[in-house]
């Protein structure tokens, strides 16, 4: 099962957001208020070729900020209010942090196979403010802003996407294909066999990292509460046994170079895909740059008007 991406789209129309194929890992709110551990150097180095053709979180926030201002202007003409949300100008995210499963010792030691919502998207307060803003709208303002046929949000999206739209569905398909094919690479299979041997020696006889993640023991409370991995609503904290297993999982991945091997295989396949679909990827990059130029022009114009 792919890991659900935790970034919540603010734009009604697709804007080349990452489609996350990843090793199963059910993100779950944690009862801890502390921020998650800073990503390791290994996590920061997991940058794949396709990433350059998708919006980074900072770019996504730029588009969202421009959209806010367009909606505010539109709704203001109709007598409504649309508060502008302050988003980090230099936001960072680590979209591939769990792509190959749990690979960080500190993260495994705190959360096991569970994950707080801010592990992959480190600015949950932004999402919360977006949801609070929408909830505070009057019925009249909600219709004016969010009507799917004539609302201010639709008008804003069209302006931001004009001349910069692209078929990102093909990118998601190519992404999923490369991810799936990389799992069958001989080097990845060899690394998984080594991981399996290591885990047996650690007294955890799982056949694969997926089997370890999906052990029903880790999700009993979630299932009892009516949640599921697919709904991304799991809420249980990791048990001591889960944490011990996840830590062993990380140790075995480190000993066998599992994540690096898989990353290398997938990177090679993505590079090949970029070469084979050069015209398509050129179009993606062009569309992304046009969207960002439009958004920055909107922000500059709105800034000049004060």
């Amino acid at each position: 099962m792919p890991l659900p991406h935790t970034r919540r789209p603010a734009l009604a129309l697709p804007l080349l957001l990452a489609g996350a194929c990843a090793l199963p890992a059910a993100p779950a709110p944690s009862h801890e208020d502390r921020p998650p551990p800073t990503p390791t150097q290994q996590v920061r180095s997991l940058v794949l070729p396709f990433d350059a053709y998708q919006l980074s979180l900072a770019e996504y926030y730029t588009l969202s900020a421009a959209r806010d201002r367009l909606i505010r202007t539109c709704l203001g003409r109709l007598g409504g209010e649309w508060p502008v949300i302050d988003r980090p100008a230099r936001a960072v995210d680590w979209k591939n942090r769990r792509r190959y499963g749990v690979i960080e010792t500190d993260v495994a030691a705190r959360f096991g196979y569970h994950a707080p919502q801010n592990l992959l998207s480190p600015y949950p307060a932004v999402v919360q403010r977006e949801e609070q803003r929408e909830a505070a709208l009057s019925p009249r303002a909600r219709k004016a802003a969010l009507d799917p046929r004539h609302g201010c949000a639709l008008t804003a999206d069209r302006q931001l996407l004009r001349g910069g739209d692209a078929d990102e569905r093909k990118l998601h398909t190519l992404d999923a294909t490369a991810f799936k094919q990389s799992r069958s690479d001989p080097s990845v299979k060899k690394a998984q066999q080594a991981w399996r041997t290591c885990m047996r020696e650690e007294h955890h006889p799982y056949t694969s990292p997926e089997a370890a993640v999906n052990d029903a023991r880790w999700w009993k409370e979630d299932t009892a509460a009516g949640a599921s991995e697919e709904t991304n609503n799991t809420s249980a904290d990791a048990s001591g046994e889960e944490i011990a297993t996840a830590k062993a999982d990380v140790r075995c991945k480190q000993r066998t170079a599992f994540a690096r091997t898989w990353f290398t295989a997938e990177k090679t396949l993505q590079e090949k895909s970029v070469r084979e679909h050069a015209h398509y990827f050129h179009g993606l990059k062009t569309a992304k740059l046009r969207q960002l130029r439009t958004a920055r022009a909107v922000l500059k114009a709105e800034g000049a008007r004060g």
Side-chain angles (χ1 to χ4, degrees):
M1 184 201 78
L3 169 64
H5 202 283
T6 57
R7 190 179 306 169
R8 176 179 180 268
L11 304 184
L13 297 179
L15 283 170
L16 305 180
L17 289 174
C21 294
L23 204 61
S30 171
H31 297 309
E32 296 186 59
D33 294 326
R34 292 181 297 157
T38 301
T40 61
Q41 179 57 43
Q42 181 186 24
V43 168
R44 291 194 293 269
S45 70
L46 295 178
V47 180
L48 288 160
F50 287 0
D51 292 345
Y53 300 91
Q54 303 167 29
L55 294 173
S56 68
L57 190 57
E59 292 167 339
Y60 174 73
Y61 280 166
T62 295
L63 285 161
S64 298
R67 182 179 189 261
D68 270 0
R69 283 156 178 79
L70 290 172
I71 296 175
R72 180 181 64 180
T73 299
C74 173
L75 200 57
R77 289 196 291 264
L78 301 174
E81 295 184 2
W82 184 265
V84 171
I85 292 172
D86 183 28
R87 299 176 177 86
R90 296 184 178 182
V92 293
D93 65 331
W94 306 284
K95 64 182 69 174
N96 299 322
R97 189 170 194 171
R98 281 279 180 102
R99 193 170 184 94
Y100 309 110
V102 180
I103 61 174
E104 300 166 279
T105 301
D106 289 349
V107 171
R110 281 178 57 183
F111 309 118
Y113 290 111
H114 285 75
Q117 292 179 336
N118 59 350
L119 187 70
L120 301 176
S121 184
Y123 305 102
V126 172
V127 175
Q128 185 178 34
R129 288 195 291 269
E130 291 173 348
E131 293 172 343
Q132 290 172 342
R133 175 179 62 190
E134 186 171 325
L137 292 173
S138 68
R140 180 173 177 274
R142 179 186 300 276
K143 180 174 177 58
L146 304 177
D147 186 284
R149 294 173 298 174
H150 309 292
C152 290
L154 179 62
T155 301
D157 292 337
R158 286 174 172 167
Q159 180 172 339
L160 289 171
L161 285 172
R162 187 179 300 128
D165 201 0
D167 181 15
E168 82 293 337
R169 290 173 298 182
K170 180 175 179 179
L171 177 60
H172 295 170
T173 298
L174 292 171
D175 185 23
T177 299
F179 182 80
K180 183 178 180 179
Q181 290 178 345
S182 66
R183 298 176 71 148
S184 300
D185 186 274
S187 65
V188 177
K189 286 186 173 181
K190 183 178 179 180
Q192 181 163 302
Q193 177 59 52
W195 175 91
R196 186 183 303 127
T197 300
C198 176
M199 286 293 279
R200 280 202 301 266
E201 294 172 351
E202 292 266 5
H203 308 292
H204 302 288
Y206 293 103
T207 58
S208 67
E210 294 95 325
V213 171
N214 289 320
D215 190 322
R217 292 177 296 170
W218 318 148
W219 313 109
K220 282 181 179 179
E221 291 183 37
D222 305 318
T223 303
S228 70
E229 292 179 55
E230 286 78 3
T231 61
N232 200 21
N233 289 326
T234 51
S235 58
D237 285 328
S239 65
E241 187 176 8
E242 177 188 338
I243 286 173
T245 303
K247 288 169 66 177
D249 186 343
V250 172
R251 285 195 298 272
C252 287
K253 286 194 177 98
Q254 291 172 343
R255 291 173 191 169
T256 60
F258 178 86
R260 176 56 54 181
T261 299
W262 195 347
F263 167 78
T264 301
E266 189 177 13
K267 179 181 177 182
T268 299
L269 288 168
Q270 287 196 6
E271 288 171 342
K272 180 182 177 184
S273 186
V274 171
R275 292 193 300 269
E276 291 177 345
H277 303 274
H279 180 73
Y280 169 71
F281 279 96
H282 174 74
L284 281 181
K285 180 62 71 71
T286 300
K288 172 183 169 178
L289 293 176
R290 283 177 179 168
Q291 291 168 19
L292 289 170
R293 280 198 300 269
T294 300
R296 289 166 182 148
V298 167
L299 294 173
K300 183 177 180 180
E302 290 288 325
R305 285 197 287 267

